[in-house]
Amino acid sequence: MGVERGDPVTGQHTERDSELESRLVAIVESSDDAILGKTLDGVITSWNAGAERIYGFAADEMIGSNVSEIVPPDRLAELGPIIDRLRGGERVNHFETKRRRKDGAIIDVSVCISPIRDRGGVVVGASSVARDVTEHNRQEAERRALEQGLYRAERLDTLGQLAGGIAHDFNNLLAVILSYAGFVIEETADRPAVRSDAEQVLTAAQRAATLTRQLLIFSRREEIRLAELDLDAVIADMLGLLRTSVGAQVEVRVGPAAESAAIVADRGQIEQVLLNLAVNARDAMPGGGTLTMGTSLAELSDEYARLHPGVSPGRYVELALTDTGTGMGAEVAARIFEPFFTTKPLGEGTGLGLSTVYGIVIQSGGSMTVDSEEGTGTTFRVYFPAVGVPALVTPPGGAPLLGPKPGRGAATILVVDDEPPVLAAASPRWVPHRRIHRRRIHRRRMRRRR
């Protein structure tokens, strides 16, 4: 027996359904997420207030339009596989992708998509809930970059301490080798074969001393002579040497100069920075290319300082060097400042060039970054704290004049070292009677031979 329209049971169900529907509509409309319905062909059938806030389109603009209106062109290929999964009754959970706002901005979204079925269980459409995760992703990327920066800084600091300790001890040994090799050379003028052997020892020790000095620079244990410099003037003075060092196949261009490029640094070390970066660029352009360098003023923000431990926000002089070379991948770029790390074949590089540059820049209170991709070249940006007064006049190719030279006269030299061999090697070179004593010993030996 049928139930009449006015039956109280029918009226109760209608009222309950209406109330449930109103609640669902209220929940959907009050959600901060973008909730929309669409057919399997992508035609939008519903669009809530959250979608208006996230995408910038009003509901009357989008209902009846295709969902591809908010999908960037490079993401359209994602739609087909998703529709196939929905047709099979499968849900798509927390799918991260990109969407396009009305103003053209591209945002990151996390989307959950569910199939909509008719009374017979056939999938006829889909509902999607999208959340704007652009800010979350930005903060997460910043956090990862900060962690990587801290890890890299700690790693380089640990390597610096290790390298500095080894270099200090090795330097003491080299001081003894260099000194006594020099003594042998002085006293074997009449024995060419012995003198030649001693000269080979001296040459090898000098090369080792150069490497040791680079390690000491990296570990910030090298003594420096700070002076006020005009970085543009240093570049101008170095230009001839730089062009000779990179060879004729590389064109060196000097870009615009900073309004004021006054910094406080050791001139010799700044010249080494320029030379090492230029040679590194040359090696990245085996077939030739262009090296462009220039200076500008830069304001390093609090955010930059957070991502680069040890750097203070403020005004800096930026030195940028850009090459048109082979570039490098992210894994290589993350390690280029480590001592002894090199991508060159065995025997063609020490791996100390860029680590020396890094040590000099950090010791000067600065910072440096590298931007590079394989096949697109590399840009090194070096930041030195800017000085707000005119730079001192510097003699071409020389260090600033810091004061009058001391006069000549009698003096006492105190030699202090914690290594007895270093003291024994250093003292005879400065005490005249020690040389006389060595000559007497030499004469006695000659008499015995006779």
Side-chain angles (χ1 to χ4, degrees), residues 93-392:
N93 291 319
H94 304 295
F95 172 65
E96 288 216 5
T97 184
K98 294 185 181 293
R99 291 290 182 261
R100 183 180 63 85
R101 286 177 45 85
K102 184 177 181 179
D103 59 9
I106 303 298
I107 60 174
D108 298 330
V109 294
S110 176
V111 187
C112 293
I113 310 174
S114 303
I116 297 177
R117 304 175 186 271
D118 62 11
R119 292 182 181 275
V122 178
V123 177
V124 294
S127 65
S128 67
V129 180
R131 176 165 297 176
D132 185 351
V133 294
T134 305
E135 181 62 20
H136 173 270
N137 288 353
R138 187 194 66 78
Q139 292 178 358
E140 188 66 17
E142 182 177 313
R143 183 188 64 80
R144 286 196 299 268
L146 179 59
E147 287 180 351
Q148 290 173 0
L150 288 171
Y151 171 75
R152 189 177 300 114
E154 289 175 357
R155 178 179 175 83
L156 289 173
D157 187 58
T158 300
L159 288 172
Q161 293 179 18
L162 176 63
I166 294 173
H168 175 73
D169 293 339
F170 193 55
N171 215 31
N172 286 337
L173 298 174
L174 287 173
V176 177
I177 295 171
L178 288 167
S179 297
Y180 281 96
F183 297 156
V184 173
I185 291 172
E186 287 177 4
E187 298 187 5
T188 55
D190 57 339
R191 301 176 64 186
V194 176
R195 184 183 181 91
S196 177
D197 291 345
E199 287 173 346
Q200 291 295 328
V201 172
L202 186 65
T203 300
Q206 287 171 340
R207 290 178 61 188
T210 300
L211 296 178
T212 304
R213 181 172 180 270
Q214 289 179 299
L215 284 175
L216 289 171
I217 291 173
F218 171 73
S219 62
R220 279 95 77 189
R221 298 190 184 189
E222 177 76 3
E223 293 185 8
I224 59 175
R225 292 181 60 194
L226 293 178
E228 195 174 316
L229 305 171
D230 183 340
L231 186 54
D232 287 322
V234 176
I235 292 174
D237 291 342
M238 286 282 293
L239 201 53
L241 176 60
L242 294 177
R243 284 180 171 145
T244 302
S245 300
V246 299
Q249 75 278 11
V250 175
E251 180 186 0
V252 179
R253 298 177 182 175
V254 178
E259 180 182 332
S260 173
I263 63 173
V264 173
D266 183 308
R267 182 183 176 104
Q269 289 194 342
I270 297 302
E271 291 175 347
Q272 189 169 1
V273 166
L274 290 167
L275 186 59
N276 284 10
L277 290 177
V279 170
N280 184 77
R282 177 203 66 192
D283 294 341
M285 299 183 286
T290 302
L291 172 62
T292 305
M293 63 181 70
T295 61
S296 61
L297 291 176
E299 195 76 25
L300 297 188
S301 63
D302 292 333
E303 182 179 357
Y304 181 94
R306 284 199 307 271
L307 296 176
H308 298 80
V311 177
S312 301
R315 201 179 200 198
Y316 287 73
V317 175
E318 177 189 297
L319 167 65
L321 292 93
T322 301
D323 65 59
T324 57
T326 55
M328 57 186 131
E331 292 184 2
V332 174
R335 298 190 59 194
I336 56 173
F337 299 127
E338 295 180 11
F340 302 115
F341 175 78
T342 180
T343 57
K344 298 177 183 178
L346 185 64
E348 293 188 16
T350 63
L352 289 174
L354 291 178
S355 61
T356 300
V357 171
Y358 177 84
I360 291 172
V361 172
I362 299 302
Q363 193 171 22
S364 301
S367 173
M368 67 184 300
T369 62
V370 57
D371 298 317
S372 184
E373 290 184 13
E374 292 186 72
T376 62
T378 301
T379 296
F380 284 95
R381 302 184 189 278
V382 185
Y383 299 97
F384 296 102
V387 178
V389 294
L392 296 176

Side-chain angles (χ1 to χ4, degrees), residues 429-445:
R429 303 197 65 178
W430 300 106
V431 182
H433 73 266
R434 175 63 174 167
R435 287 193 176 182
I436 295 171
H437 180 61
R438 292 177 66 86
R439 291 195 186 101
R440 287 174 181 168
I441 294 174
H442 178 67
R443 291 193 191 111
R444 289 173 188 166
R445 288 175 180 168

Side-chain angles (χ1 to χ4, degrees), residues 5-37:
R5 253 176 120 67
D7 191 280
V9 175
T10 304
Q12 182 180 1
H13 278 287
T14 302
E15 184 178 344
R16 186 181 302 166
D17 291 346
S18 177
E19 182 181 353
L20 179 60
E21 184 177 345
S22 297
R23 287 181 180 178
L24 289 175
V25 169
I27 291 171
V28 169
E29 285 301 313
S30 64
S31 174
D32 288 333
D33 296 334
I35 302 177
L36 55 99

